[in-house]
mmCIF file of all heavy atoms in Angstrom:
data_model
loop_
_atom_site.group_PDB
_atom_site.id
_atom_site.type_symbol
_atom_site.label_atom_id
_atom_site.label_comp_id
_atom_site.label_asym_id
_atom_site.label_seq_id
_atom_site.Cartn_x
_atom_site.Cartn_y
_atom_site.Cartn_z
ATOM 1 N N ILE M 1 20.627 17.497 -68.185
ATOM 2 C CA ILE M 1 21.970 17.741 -68.722
ATOM 3 C C ILE M 1 21.987 18.513 -70.022
ATOM 4 O O ILE M 1 23.015 19.046 -70.407
ATOM 5 C CB ILE M 1 22.719 16.387 -68.906
ATOM 6 C CG1 ILE M 1 22.011 15.492 -69.927
ATOM 7 C CG2 ILE M 1 22.885 15.668 -67.590
ATOM 8 C CD1 ILE M 1 22.807 14.238 -70.265
ATOM 9 N N ASP M 2 20.827 18.618 -70.693
ATOM 10 C CA ASP M 2 20.765 19.426 -71.910
ATOM 11 C C ASP M 2 20.401 20.860 -71.610
ATOM 12 O O ASP M 2 20.175 21.676 -72.527
ATOM 13 C CB ASP M 2 19.779 18.817 -72.894
ATOM 14 C CG ASP M 2 18.330 18.820 -72.357
ATOM 15 O OD1 ASP M 2 18.091 19.294 -71.240
ATOM 16 O OD2 ASP M 2 17.414 18.315 -73.077
ATOM 17 N N GLY M 3 20.348 21.221 -70.324
ATOM 18 C CA GLY M 3 20.062 22.614 -69.948
ATOM 19 C C GLY M 3 18.612 22.935 -69.822
ATOM 20 O O GLY M 3 18.243 24.038 -69.407
ATOM 21 N N SER M 4 17.751 21.990 -70.142
ATOM 22 C CA SER M 4 16.294 22.227 -70.016
ATOM 23 C C SER M 4 15.830 21.947 -68.602
ATOM 24 O O SER M 4 16.523 21.272 -67.805
ATOM 25 C CB SER M 4 15.533 21.329 -71.010
ATOM 26 O OG SER M 4 15.732 19.936 -70.666
ATOM 27 N N GLU M 5 14.660 22.472 -68.267
ATOM 28 C CA GLU M 5 14.136 22.258 -66.923
ATOM 29 C C GLU M 5 13.684 20.814 -66.738
ATOM 30 O O GLU M 5 13.089 20.191 -67.628
ATOM 31 C CB GLU M 5 12.969 23.213 -66.658
ATOM 32 C CG GLU M 5 12.519 23.230 -65.237
ATOM 33 C CD GLU M 5 11.594 24.394 -64.914
ATOM 34 O OE1 GLU M 5 11.376 25.262 -65.816
ATOM 35 O OE2 GLU M 5 11.072 24.478 -63.767
ATOM 36 N N MET M 6 13.958 20.263 -65.569
ATOM 37 C CA MET M 6 13.649 18.875 -65.308
ATOM 38 C C MET M 6 12.138 18.653 -65.273
ATOM 39 O O MET M 6 11.386 19.485 -64.748
ATOM 40 C CB MET M 6 14.277 18.420 -64.011
ATOM 41 C CG MET M 6 15.766 18.257 -64.046
ATOM 42 S SD MET M 6 16.496 17.528 -62.536
ATOM 43 C CE MET M 6 15.895 15.842 -62.659
ATOM 44 N N THR M 7 11.733 17.511 -65.773
ATOM 45 C CA THR M 7 10.348 17.132 -65.738
ATOM 46 C C THR M 7 10.093 16.107 -64.620
ATOM 47 O O THR M 7 11.026 15.575 -64.029
ATOM 48 C CB THR M 7 9.954 16.477 -67.081
ATOM 49 O OG1 THR M 7 10.729 15.277 -67.260
ATOM 50 C CG2 THR M 7 10.217 17.442 -68.232
ATOM 51 N N ASP M 8 8.822 15.818 -64.350
ATOM 52 C CA ASP M 8 8.506 14.830 -63.307
ATOM 53 C C ASP M 8 9.094 13.481 -63.696
ATOM 54 O O ASP M 8 9.536 12.713 -62.830
ATOM 55 C CB ASP M 8 7.001 14.712 -63.189
ATOM 56 C CG ASP M 8 6.367 15.949 -62.572
ATOM 57 O OD1 ASP M 8 7.118 16.740 -61.939
ATOM 58 O OD2 ASP M 8 5.158 16.125 -62.707
ATOM 59 N N GLU M 9 9.124 13.171 -64.973
ATOM 60 C CA GLU M 9 9.666 11.904 -65.418
ATOM 61 C C GLU M 9 11.148 11.799 -65.096
ATOM 62 O O GLU M 9 11.670 10.758 -64.671
ATOM 63 C CB GLU M 9 9.449 11.713 -66.911
ATOM 64 C CG GLU M 9 9.933 10.363 -67.443
ATOM 65 C CD GLU M 9 9.702 10.240 -68.945
ATOM 66 O OE1 GLU M 9 9.129 11.189 -69.543
ATOM 67 O OE2 GLU M 9 10.049 9.197 -69.485
ATOM 68 N N ALA M 10 11.870 12.920 -65.306
ATOM 69 C CA ALA M 10 13.313 12.911 -65.021
ATOM 70 C C ALA M 10 13.599 12.705 -63.554
ATOM 71 O O ALA M 10 14.553 12.018 -63.192
ATOM 72 C CB ALA M 10 13.924 14.235 -65.506
ATOM 73 N N TRP M 11 12.763 13.286 -62.695
ATOM 74 C CA TRP M 11 12.948 13.125 -61.251
ATOM 75 C C TRP M 11 12.808 11.648 -60.825
ATOM 76 O O TRP M 11 13.450 11.217 -59.857
ATOM 77 C CB TRP M 11 11.968 13.982 -60.460
ATOM 78 C CG TRP M 11 12.292 15.407 -60.386
ATOM 79 C CD1 TRP M 11 11.573 16.464 -60.919
ATOM 80 C CD2 TRP M 11 13.426 16.014 -59.760
ATOM 81 N NE1 TRP M 11 12.167 17.660 -60.667
ATOM 82 C CE2 TRP M 11 13.320 17.409 -59.945
ATOM 83 C CE3 TRP M 11 14.499 15.521 -59.078
ATOM 84 C CZ2 TRP M 11 14.254 18.318 -59.458
ATOM 85 C CZ3 TRP M 11 15.461 16.403 -58.565
ATOM 86 C CH2 TRP M 11 15.336 17.794 -58.755
ATOM 87 N N SER M 12 12.000 10.934 -61.512
ATOM 88 C CA SER M 12 11.676 9.565 -61.092
ATOM 89 C C SER M 12 12.556 8.518 -61.717
ATOM 90 O O SER M 12 12.359 7.322 -61.497
ATOM 91 C CB SER M 12 10.214 9.244 -61.360
ATOM 92 O OG SER M 12 9.941 9.351 -62.772
ATOM 93 N N THR M 13 13.531 8.945 -62.520
ATOM 94 C CA THR M 13 14.424 7.966 -63.177
ATOM 95 C C THR M 13 15.360 7.344 -62.160
ATOM 96 O O THR M 13 16.119 8.027 -61.506
ATOM 97 C CB THR M 13 15.251 8.674 -64.271
ATOM 98 O OG1 THR M 13 14.342 9.298 -65.211
ATOM 99 C CG2 THR M 13 16.126 7.673 -64.990
ATOM 100 N N ASP M 14 15.300 6.020 -62.031
ATOM 101 C CA ASP M 14 16.051 5.347 -60.960
ATOM 102 C C ASP M 14 17.560 5.458 -61.140
ATOM 103 O O ASP M 14 18.279 5.512 -60.178
ATOM 104 C CB ASP M 14 15.629 3.861 -60.919
ATOM 105 C CG ASP M 14 14.251 3.655 -60.386
ATOM 106 O OD1 ASP M 14 13.766 4.585 -59.704
ATOM 107 O OD2 ASP M 14 13.673 2.606 -60.653
ATOM 108 N N HIS M 15 18.034 5.519 -62.373
ATOM 109 C CA HIS M 15 19.475 5.451 -62.615
ATOM 110 C C HIS M 15 20.091 6.862 -62.702
ATOM 111 O O HIS M 15 21.305 6.985 -62.833
ATOM 112 C CB HIS M 15 19.793 4.682 -63.907
ATOM 113 C CG HIS M 15 19.193 5.328 -65.109
ATOM 114 N ND1 HIS M 15 17.944 5.045 -65.560
ATOM 115 C CD2 HIS M 15 19.751 6.249 -65.969
ATOM 116 C CE1 HIS M 15 17.681 5.768 -66.644
ATOM 117 N NE2 HIS M 15 18.761 6.504 -66.910
ATOM 118 N N ALA M 16 19.318 7.943 -62.599
ATOM 119 C CA ALA M 16 19.814 9.266 -62.770
ATOM 120 C C ALA M 16 20.791 9.609 -61.649
ATOM 121 O O ALA M 16 20.506 9.384 -60.474
ATOM 122 C CB ALA M 16 18.687 10.271 -62.803
ATOM 123 N N LYS M 17 21.936 10.147 -62.009
ATOM 124 C CA LYS M 17 22.939 10.539 -61.033
ATOM 125 C C LYS M 17 23.524 11.940 -61.317
ATOM 126 O O LYS M 17 24.486 12.355 -60.701
ATOM 127 C CB LYS M 17 24.084 9.513 -61.023
ATOM 128 C CG LYS M 17 23.649 8.095 -60.714
ATOM 129 C CD LYS M 17 24.812 7.126 -60.806
ATOM 130 C CE LYS M 17 24.364 5.680 -60.581
ATOM 131 N NZ LYS M 17 25.467 4.716 -60.683
ATOM 132 N N CYS M 18 22.914 12.593 -62.292
ATOM 133 C CA CYS M 18 23.423 13.895 -62.708
ATOM 134 C C CYS M 18 22.279 14.882 -62.840
ATOM 135 O O CYS M 18 21.199 14.569 -63.362
ATOM 136 C CB CYS M 18 24.142 13.748 -64.079
ATOM 137 S SG CYS M 18 24.908 15.265 -64.685
ATOM 138 N N LEU M 19 22.474 16.089 -62.321
ATOM 139 C CA LEU M 19 21.466 17.146 -62.408
ATOM 140 C C LEU M 19 22.143 18.479 -62.175
ATOM 141 O O LEU M 19 23.304 18.542 -61.750
ATOM 142 C CB LEU M 19 20.375 16.927 -61.397
ATOM 143 C CG LEU M 19 20.626 17.196 -59.896
ATOM 144 C CD1 LEU M 19 19.303 17.359 -59.144
ATOM 145 C CD2 LEU M 19 21.441 16.068 -59.269
ATOM 146 N N GLY M 20 21.385 19.539 -62.487
ATOM 147 C CA GLY M 20 21.902 20.884 -62.245
ATOM 148 C C GLY M 20 20.808 21.720 -61.626
ATOM 149 O O GLY M 20 19.630 21.364 -61.610
ATOM 150 N N VAL M 21 21.196 22.869 -61.034
ATOM 151 C CA VAL M 21 20.222 23.757 -60.398
ATOM 152 C C VAL M 21 20.701 25.184 -60.525
ATOM 153 O O VAL M 21 21.897 25.496 -60.426
ATOM 154 C CB VAL M 21 20.025 23.360 -58.934
ATOM 155 C CG1 VAL M 21 21.306 23.545 -58.090
ATOM 156 C CG2 VAL M 21 18.898 24.182 -58.313
ATOM 157 N N ILE M 22 19.726 26.083 -60.801
ATOM 158 C CA ILE M 22 19.999 27.518 -60.790
ATOM 159 C C ILE M 22 19.366 28.085 -59.518
ATOM 160 O O ILE M 22 18.185 27.857 -59.261
ATOM 161 C CB ILE M 22 19.375 28.194 -62.035
ATOM 162 C CG1 ILE M 22 20.024 27.704 -63.315
ATOM 163 C CG2 ILE M 22 19.533 29.715 -61.935
ATOM 164 C CD1 ILE M 22 19.352 28.189 -64.591
ATOM 165 N N LEU M 23 20.151 28.801 -58.750
ATOM 166 C CA LEU M 23 19.673 29.512 -57.567
ATOM 167 C C LEU M 23 19.662 30.993 -57.907
ATOM 168 O O LEU M 23 20.708 31.602 -58.072
ATOM 169 C CB LEU M 23 20.570 29.236 -56.360
ATOM 170 C CG LEU M 23 20.809 27.776 -55.994
ATOM 171 C CD1 LEU M 23 21.710 27.670 -54.769
ATOM 172 C CD2 LEU M 23 19.516 27.021 -55.748
ATOM 173 N N VAL M 24 18.499 31.559 -58.012
ATOM 174 C CA VAL M 24 18.341 32.945 -58.444
ATOM 175 C C VAL M 24 18.660 33.875 -57.293
ATOM 176 O O VAL M 24 18.083 33.751 -56.200
ATOM 177 C CB VAL M 24 16.923 33.203 -58.972
ATOM 178 C CG1 VAL M 24 16.762 34.669 -59.359
ATOM 179 C CG2 VAL M 24 16.630 32.298 -60.158
ATOM 180 N N GLY M 25 19.596 34.789 -57.518
ATOM 181 C CA GLY M 25 20.098 35.616 -56.410
ATOM 182 C C GLY M 25 19.354 36.934 -56.219
ATOM 183 O O GLY M 25 19.683 37.694 -55.296
ATOM 184 N N ASP M 26 18.375 37.254 -57.081
ATOM 185 C CA ASP M 26 17.646 38.489 -56.934
ATOM 186 C C ASP M 26 16.677 38.403 -55.757
ATOM 187 O O ASP M 26 15.967 37.416 -55.582
ATOM 188 C CB ASP M 26 16.869 38.814 -58.212
ATOM 189 C CG ASP M 26 17.742 39.046 -59.409
ATOM 190 O OD1 ASP M 26 18.901 39.430 -59.195
ATOM 191 O OD2 ASP M 26 17.296 38.826 -60.543
ATOM 192 N N SER M 27 16.626 39.470 -54.977
ATOM 193 C CA SER M 27 15.646 39.580 -53.853
ATOM 194 C C SER M 27 15.605 38.331 -53.009
ATOM 195 O O SER M 27 14.567 37.730 -52.769
ATOM 196 C CB SER M 27 14.252 39.859 -54.439
ATOM 197 O OG SER M 27 14.256 41.050 -55.191
ATOM 198 N N VAL M 28 16.779 37.954 -52.499
ATOM 199 C CA VAL M 28 16.866 36.746 -51.668
ATOM 200 C C VAL M 28 16.185 36.953 -50.337
ATOM 201 O O VAL M 28 15.542 36.075 -49.793
ATOM 202 C CB VAL M 28 18.343 36.353 -51.445
ATOM 203 C CG1 VAL M 28 18.455 35.248 -50.433
ATOM 204 C CG2 VAL M 28 18.954 35.968 -52.778
ATOM 205 N N ASP M 29 16.295 38.189 -49.783
ATOM 206 C CA ASP M 29 15.760 38.432 -48.440
ATOM 207 C C ASP M 29 15.672 39.930 -48.238
ATOM 208 O O ASP M 29 15.910 40.700 -49.146
ATOM 209 C CB ASP M 29 16.735 37.780 -47.395
ATOM 210 C CG ASP M 29 16.021 37.412 -46.100
ATOM 211 O OD1 ASP M 29 14.936 37.954 -45.850
ATOM 212 O OD2 ASP M 29 16.565 36.566 -45.363
ATOM 213 N N ILE M 30 15.288 40.316 -47.020
ATOM 214 C CA ILE M 30 15.369 41.723 -46.653
ATOM 215 C C ILE M 30 16.220 41.791 -45.358
ATOM 216 O O ILE M 30 16.249 40.874 -44.535
ATOM 217 C CB ILE M 30 13.961 42.330 -46.406
ATOM 218 C CG1 ILE M 30 13.177 41.509 -45.393
ATOM 219 C CG2 ILE M 30 13.233 42.432 -47.732
ATOM 220 C CD1 ILE M 30 11.844 42.125 -45.026
ATOM 221 N N ASP M 31 16.881 42.936 -45.165
ATOM 222 C CA ASP M 31 17.689 43.090 -43.960
ATOM 223 C C ASP M 31 16.851 43.677 -42.820
ATOM 224 O O ASP M 31 15.654 43.842 -42.932
ATOM 225 C CB ASP M 31 18.924 43.957 -44.257
ATOM 226 C CG ASP M 31 18.562 45.383 -44.668
ATOM 227 O OD1 ASP M 31 17.443 45.856 -44.399
ATOM 228 O OD2 ASP M 31 19.423 46.065 -45.256
ATOM 229 N N SER M 32 17.541 43.994 -41.714
ATOM 230 C CA SER M 32 16.804 44.439 -40.541
ATOM 231 C C SER M 32 16.133 45.803 -40.722
ATOM 232 O O SER M 32 15.287 46.194 -39.920
ATOM 233 C CB SER M 32 17.766 44.530 -39.335
ATOM 234 O OG SER M 32 18.842 45.416 -39.590
ATOM 235 N N HIS M 33 16.503 46.520 -41.757
ATOM 236 C CA HIS M 33 15.897 47.812 -42.079
ATOM 237 C C HIS M 33 14.886 47.718 -43.208
ATOM 238 O O HIS M 33 14.405 48.753 -43.699
ATOM 239 C CB HIS M 33 16.948 48.847 -42.453
ATOM 240 C CG HIS M 33 17.960 49.082 -41.352
ATOM 241 N ND1 HIS M 33 17.674 49.764 -40.204
ATOM 242 C CD2 HIS M 33 19.275 48.706 -41.232
ATOM 243 C CE1 HIS M 33 18.739 49.818 -39.407
ATOM 244 N NE2 HIS M 33 19.715 49.168 -39.995
ATOM 245 N N GLY M 34 14.610 46.485 -43.648
ATOM 246 C CA GLY M 34 13.627 46.297 -44.703
ATOM 247 C C GLY M 34 14.145 46.435 -46.102
ATOM 248 O O GLY M 34 13.394 46.384 -47.052
ATOM 249 N N GLU M 35 15.469 46.604 -46.223
ATOM 250 C CA GLU M 35 16.077 46.731 -47.535
ATOM 251 C C GLU M 35 16.292 45.364 -48.154
ATOM 252 O O GLU M 35 16.601 44.384 -47.459
ATOM 253 C CB GLU M 35 17.453 47.444 -47.437
ATOM 254 C CG GLU M 35 17.332 48.861 -46.885
ATOM 255 C CD GLU M 35 16.562 49.793 -47.794
ATOM 256 O OE1 GLU M 35 16.647 49.598 -49.039
ATOM 257 O OE2 GLU M 35 15.880 50.713 -47.315
ATOM 258 N N VAL M 36 16.088 45.301 -49.473
ATOM 259 C CA VAL M 36 16.221 44.012 -50.186
ATOM 260 C C VAL M 36 17.679 43.553 -50.219
ATOM 261 O O VAL M 36 18.582 44.345 -50.501
ATOM 262 C CB VAL M 36 15.679 44.154 -51.609
ATOM 263 C CG1 VAL M 36 15.950 42.874 -52.426
ATOM 264 C CG2 VAL M 36 14.168 44.436 -51.594
ATOM 265 N N ILE M 37 17.865 42.285 -49.936
ATOM 266 C CA ILE M 37 19.212 41.651 -50.059
ATOM 267 C C ILE M 37 19.247 40.856 -51.347
ATOM 268 O O ILE M 37 18.420 39.980 -51.559
ATOM 269 C CB ILE M 37 19.467 40.713 -48.870
ATOM 270 C CG1 ILE M 37 19.502 41.496 -47.552
ATOM 271 C CG2 ILE M 37 20.775 39.956 -49.085
ATOM 272 C CD1 ILE M 37 19.642 40.606 -46.342
ATOM 273 N N SER M 38 20.162 41.214 -52.214
ATOM 274 C CA SER M 38 20.345 40.489 -53.461
ATOM 275 C C SER M 38 21.827 40.102 -53.608
ATOM 276 O O SER M 38 22.703 40.710 -53.015
ATOM 277 C CB SER M 38 19.976 41.375 -54.672
ATOM 278 O OG SER M 38 18.572 41.639 -54.676
ATOM 279 N N GLY M 39 22.005 39.051 -54.355
ATOM 280 C CA GLY M 39 23.363 38.572 -54.611
ATOM 281 C C GLY M 39 23.427 37.957 -56.011
ATOM 282 O O GLY M 39 22.595 38.257 -56.858
ATOM 283 N N SER M 40 24.435 37.138 -56.180
ATOM 284 C CA SER M 40 24.620 36.526 -57.517
ATOM 285 C C SER M 40 23.657 35.408 -57.738
ATOM 286 O O SER M 40 23.193 34.725 -56.798
ATOM 287 C CB SER M 40 26.071 35.984 -57.621
ATOM 288 O OG SER M 40 27.006 36.970 -57.381
ATOM 289 N N THR M 41 23.357 35.150 -58.994
ATOM 290 C CA THR M 41 22.642 33.959 -59.376
ATOM 291 C C THR M 41 23.668 32.875 -59.665
ATOM 292 O O THR M 41 24.658 33.108 -60.393
ATOM 293 C CB THR M 41 21.809 34.225 -60.654
ATOM 294 O OG1 THR M 41 20.733 35.101 -60.317
ATOM 295 C CG2 THR M 41 21.247 32.915 -61.224
ATOM 296 N N LEU M 42 23.471 31.723 -59.049
ATOM 297 C CA LEU M 42 24.453 30.634 -59.133
ATOM 298 C C LEU M 42 23.923 29.433 -59.875
ATOM 299 O O LEU M 42 22.714 29.147 -59.857
ATOM 300 C CB LEU M 42 24.859 30.188 -57.718
ATOM 301 C CG LEU M 42 25.460 31.281 -56.786
ATOM 302 C CD1 LEU M 42 25.781 30.660 -55.425
ATOM 303 C CD2 LEU M 42 26.677 31.914 -57.413
ATOM 304 N N LEU M 43 24.827 28.743 -60.524
ATOM 305 C CA LEU M 43 24.503 27.471 -61.245
ATOM 306 C C LEU M 43 25.378 26.406 -60.627
ATOM 307 O O LEU M 43 26.611 26.568 -60.527
ATOM 308 C CB LEU M 43 24.800 27.641 -62.719
ATOM 309 C CG LEU M 43 24.843 26.332 -63.571
ATOM 310 C CD1 LEU M 43 23.444 25.726 -63.621
ATOM 311 C CD2 LEU M 43 25.383 26.611 -64.974
ATOM 312 N N ILE M 44 24.751 25.312 -60.232
ATOM 313 C CA ILE M 44 25.515 24.210 -59.620
ATOM 314 C C ILE M 44 25.192 22.932 -60.407
ATOM 315 O O ILE M 44 24.036 22.607 -60.627
ATOM 316 C CB ILE M 44 25.106 24.010 -58.152
ATOM 317 C CG1 ILE M 44 25.159 25.316 -57.383
ATOM 318 C CG2 ILE M 44 26.066 22.979 -57.490
ATOM 319 C CD1 ILE M 44 24.510 25.259 -56.016
ATOM 320 N N LEU M 45 26.252 22.233 -60.823
ATOM 321 C CA LEU M 45 26.133 21.019 -61.579
ATOM 322 C C LEU M 45 26.652 19.852 -60.768
ATOM 323 O O LEU M 45 27.734 19.948 -60.177
ATOM 324 C CB LEU M 45 26.900 21.119 -62.906
ATOM 325 C CG LEU M 45 26.641 22.362 -63.781
ATOM 326 C CD1 LEU M 45 27.476 22.271 -65.026
ATOM 327 C CD2 LEU M 45 25.148 22.465 -64.105
ATOM 328 N N PHE M 46 25.901 18.754 -60.723
ATOM 329 C CA PHE M 46 26.269 17.600 -59.936
ATOM 330 C C PHE M 46 26.406 16.369 -60.852
ATOM 331 O O PHE M 46 25.500 16.144 -61.700
ATOM 332 C CB PHE M 46 25.216 17.257 -58.886
ATOM 333 C CG PHE M 46 24.867 18.391 -57.943
ATOM 334 C CD1 PHE M 46 23.894 19.310 -58.281
ATOM 335 C CD2 PHE M 46 25.504 18.514 -56.712
ATOM 336 C CE1 PHE M 46 23.554 20.353 -57.413
ATOM 337 C CE2 PHE M 46 25.178 19.528 -55.857
ATOM 338 C CZ PHE M 46 24.204 20.466 -56.200
ATOM 339 N N ASN M 47 27.441 15.600 -60.685
ATOM 340 C CA ASN M 47 27.581 14.365 -61.407
ATOM 341 C C ASN M 47 28.185 13.298 -60.463
ATOM 342 O O ASN M 47 29.366 13.295 -60.178
ATOM 343 C CB ASN M 47 28.499 14.523 -62.624
ATOM 344 C CG ASN M 47 28.672 13.205 -63.393
ATOM 345 O OD1 ASN M 47 27.937 12.241 -63.171
ATOM 346 N ND2 ASN M 47 29.625 13.164 -64.305
#
């Protein structure tokens, strides 16, 4: 929740119910012609 990357300890916290994730949109895939598919980088917050 402070914006820092989660540690192993944070993952194992039994009472944790809040987290966030960044999905990087650069070079997600390639199309049928071999061209790079890129999109937006997204941030998702869960509580």
Side-chain angles (χ1 to χ4, degrees):
I1 62 174
D2 64 0
S4 63
E5 189 167 354
M6 289 186 70
T7 63
D8 291 342
E9 182 180 1
W11 283 116
S12 60
T13 303
D14 289 340
H15 62 271
K17 302 177 184 179
C18 184
L19 72 162
V21 62
I22 297 173
L23 306 180
V24 178
D26 296 335
S27 302
V28 171
D29 207 339
I30 55 175
D31 63 20
S32 58
H33 300 288
E35 298 296 326
V36 173
I37 297 175
S38 294
S40 302
T41 291
L42 302 179
L43 168 66
I44 312 168
L45 309 180
F46 305 88
N47 180 13

